[in-house]
Amino acid sequence: MMTQQTTRTMIQTQPVQILGLFIVVLGLSATTLTHAIDPEQAQEKQQLADCQKITGYAQAGQKAYHAGNYNKARTFFETQAAWSHACRVMFQGDQSGFSISDSAVATADNNVALTYIKQKDYLKARAWLMINPDDKK
C-alpha cells in the first residue's frame, strides 16, 4: 500500500524521467536525421577513405613482390590499380584534398604487369602495359 508521501514523490519525479526520455529520443532522432539528410556526402567520405588506402596496397604489394610471392603481390597491385583508376575519375578536379597523377595510375598498372613478367605470362603483362601505352615507364 502506498502512502501519500510515496505517491507525491512518484508524481514529482515521473515528469523528470519522462522529460529525460524525451530528450534522449529527440537526440537520437536528430542524429539519425543528420546522417540521413546527405547520403551523397557520406558516400563521398567513404570513397575518399578508400582512395587514401592506395598507398597501403602498393606497399603490401611491394613487400610480397620482394618476397617472391607474385600471386599475392598481383592481388594487392590489382587493387591498387583499380582504386587508382576509380579515384582519378571520382576526384579529378575536385577540392577534396585528394589527387592522383596519371603517372601514379600508370605505375599501378605497371606493377601488375611486372608480376606477370616474373611468372613469364607475357601476354597478360603486355595487356596491362597497353592500358597506358604512351607512358614512358
Side-chain angles (χ1 to χ4, degrees):
M1 189 189 288
M2 293 199 293
T3 64
Q4 267 190 330
Q5 182 64 29
T6 307
T7 306
R8 202 175 295 145
T9 304
M10 284 180 59
I11 292 171
Q12 289 173 351
T13 59
Q14 203 159 8
V16 173
Q17 292 171 345
I18 291 173
L19 181 62
L21 180 61
F22 183 69
I23 289 171
V24 169
V25 169
L26 275 180
L28 290 175
S29 297
T31 303
T32 303
L33 285 175
T34 302
H35 291 294
I37 288 174
D38 197 358
E40 282 185 31
Q41 187 178 18
Q43 183 179 8
E44 185 174 323
K45 192 175 185 178
Q46 181 61 51
Q47 289 169 340
L48 183 59
D50 290 335
C51 290
Q52 291 170 336
K53 296 177 186 176
I54 292 171
T55 303
Y57 295 129
Q59 291 170 346
Q62 292 227 341
K63 185 176 178 180
Y65 183 87
H66 291 301
N69 191 342
Y70 303 118
N71 288 327
K72 185 175 182 178
R74 183 171 36 258
T75 299
F76 285 117
F77 289 149
E78 285 174 343
T79 304
Q80 173 198 10
W83 278 110
S84 295
H85 284 277
C87 295
R88 180 177 56 181
V89 171
M90 285 189 289
F91 295 108
Q92 188 173 13
D94 197 313
Q95 300 300 321
S96 64
F98 179 85
S99 66
I100 187 164
S101 68
D102 290 341
S103 177
V105 175
T107 298
D109 294 334
N110 290 350
N111 285 344
V112 177
L114 287 173
T115 63
Y116 281 117
I117 290 169
K118 283 290 190 178
Q119 293 182 311
K120 298 182 183 349
D121 195 342
Y122 303 114
L123 189 58
K124 287 182 183 176
R126 182 179 173 131
W128 276 92
L129 292 171
M130 292 306 298
I131 293 172
N132 298 295
D134 297 330
D135 187 67
K136 296 184 183 350
K137 291 182 183 174

